[in-house]
Amino acid sequence: MFLQQLINGVALGSTYALIALGYTMVYGIITLINFAHGEIFMAGAFVGLLLITYFKLNIFVAMALSMTFCMLLGVVIELIAYRRLRKSSRLSALISAIGVSIFLSSLALMLFGADAKAFPDTAFPLRQIHIGNADISTLQLSIIGISAALMLALEFIVQKTKIGKAMRATSEDYTAAALMGINVNRVISFTFALGSALAAAGGMLVGLLFNAVTFNMGLMAGLKAFAAAVLGGIGSIPGAMLGGVLLGVTEVFGVAIGYSSYRDAIAFAILVLVLLLKPTGLLGQKIQKKV
């Protein structure tokens, strides 16, 4: 049973990590907490659901199109809701983020209703793999594999590409990067697009894992992913990956030992402890204020 719970926790934590990466990348560059990120996660799940249900697309094709849609959505949100407020107070940007979050969740409620929507049975063929006393789902293994591949792709983009180098330079010193000729607006838009694509993939994977997509699914998932980002160290990409997996594993084992009613509270209890004991997180460092 330990192995089964561990795989389940890693699968769930991998989806938290995908969402947490969006928080941590944006914060690392412009020190902004994008509280609308959870609704991008929700939008990705709905777009994937529609593509699979009504257009009968393959799960991977649907995921690629959902990620593309949410990349555009993330860029539009940054352009409309955040760019003009970049040099304003953090409170202004926070209020704008909350407004976008409420707008997107309300729009989803109007379009899809309050009832949970399920993926078709044919969306992902399920099989159980028996390892000792553990029954491990091929869906769980696929979620871990897809999440790991996306995280490795992100690490490659950030560390090995020209735009990734520009992202790291902008994160280090926003003003100096601009003076050196880096188009910081383009870098920030790309960061929002990249984080939104990962959130869309996470939304589809969570929808498949629980076989439910709802208009308000982004709220709790977004808050847990934010807790994962803080746990790993806000602004640290490896930290977001580690924090998401640790949070998912802790949550699943908490449920397994009989604390299912406290499932959602576990993430926030961990968040409070981390802020009290190590405010920079497990792998985080102090980030210079961007001007």
Side-chain angles (χ1 to χ4, degrees), residues 12-266:
L12 179 62
S14 297
T15 64
Y16 289 158
L18 289 177
I19 317 169
L21 285 166
Y23 282 115
T24 209
M25 285 192 296
V26 170
Y27 186 86
I29 290 180
I30 57 174
T31 59
L32 168 70
I33 301 298
N34 178 19
F35 280 113
H37 195 60
E39 276 57 49
I40 296 176
F41 158 89
M42 173 270 297
F46 269 115
V47 170
L49 175 65
L50 292 174
L51 291 172
I52 292 173
T53 303
Y54 295 103
F55 294 94
K56 312 299 181 184
L57 295 183
N58 175 275
I59 180 70
F60 297 105
V61 175
M63 182 175 292
L65 292 175
S66 175
M67 291 171 70
T68 302
F69 172 84
C70 286
M71 287 176 73
L72 296 174
L73 179 60
V75 171
V76 170
I77 289 173
E78 188 276 325
L79 180 63
I80 295 176
Y82 301 136
R83 182 167 296 186
R84 294 181 181 274
L85 299 176
R86 202 175 292 162
K87 295 185 178 180
S88 302
S89 69
R90 294 303 172 201
L91 181 59
S92 299
L94 175 63
I95 292 171
S96 181
I98 294 173
V100 173
S101 173
I102 294 172
F103 170 77
L104 291 176
S105 60
S106 299
L107 180 62
L109 176 60
M110 291 173 58
L111 293 176
F112 305 107
D115 296 333
K117 306 295 188 296
F119 280 88
D121 294 336
T122 56
F124 192 96
L126 289 175
R127 289 195 304 113
Q128 296 292 327
I129 300 174
H130 303 286
I131 303 177
N133 294 326
D135 291 328
I136 301 172
S137 168
T138 52
L139 176 59
Q140 293 173 331
L141 295 177
S142 297
I143 288 173
I144 295 172
I146 292 170
S147 299
L150 291 172
M151 292 178 200
L152 288 173
L154 172 66
E155 189 68 12
F156 176 82
I157 290 171
V158 172
Q159 299 296 334
K160 302 297 183 180
T161 66
K162 185 176 180 179
I163 186 66
K165 188 175 182 179
M167 289 171 64
R168 288 183 281 122
T170 305
S171 177
E172 287 292 331
D173 193 317
Y174 181 102
T175 304
L179 291 173
M180 294 300 293
I182 294 175
N183 188 331
V184 293
N185 284 331
R186 182 179 299 171
V187 169
I188 293 169
S189 293
F190 180 80
T191 303
F192 271 84
L194 200 56
S196 298
L198 294 175
M204 282 195 63
L205 294 176
V206 167
L208 288 166
L209 183 63
F210 295 104
N211 199 25
V213 178
T214 62
F215 78 97
N216 59 354
M217 65 184 290
L219 175 60
M220 189 56 66
L223 290 174
K224 289 181 179 180
F226 175 64
V230 173
L231 172 61
I234 192 76
S236 168
I237 290 177
M241 299 177 187
L242 176 63
V245 173
L246 288 177
L247 185 63
V249 170
T250 303
E251 183 177 319
V252 167
F253 275 101
V255 172
I257 61 177
Y259 292 97
S260 58
S261 57
Y262 297 99
R263 177 173 188 159
D264 293 334
I266 291 173

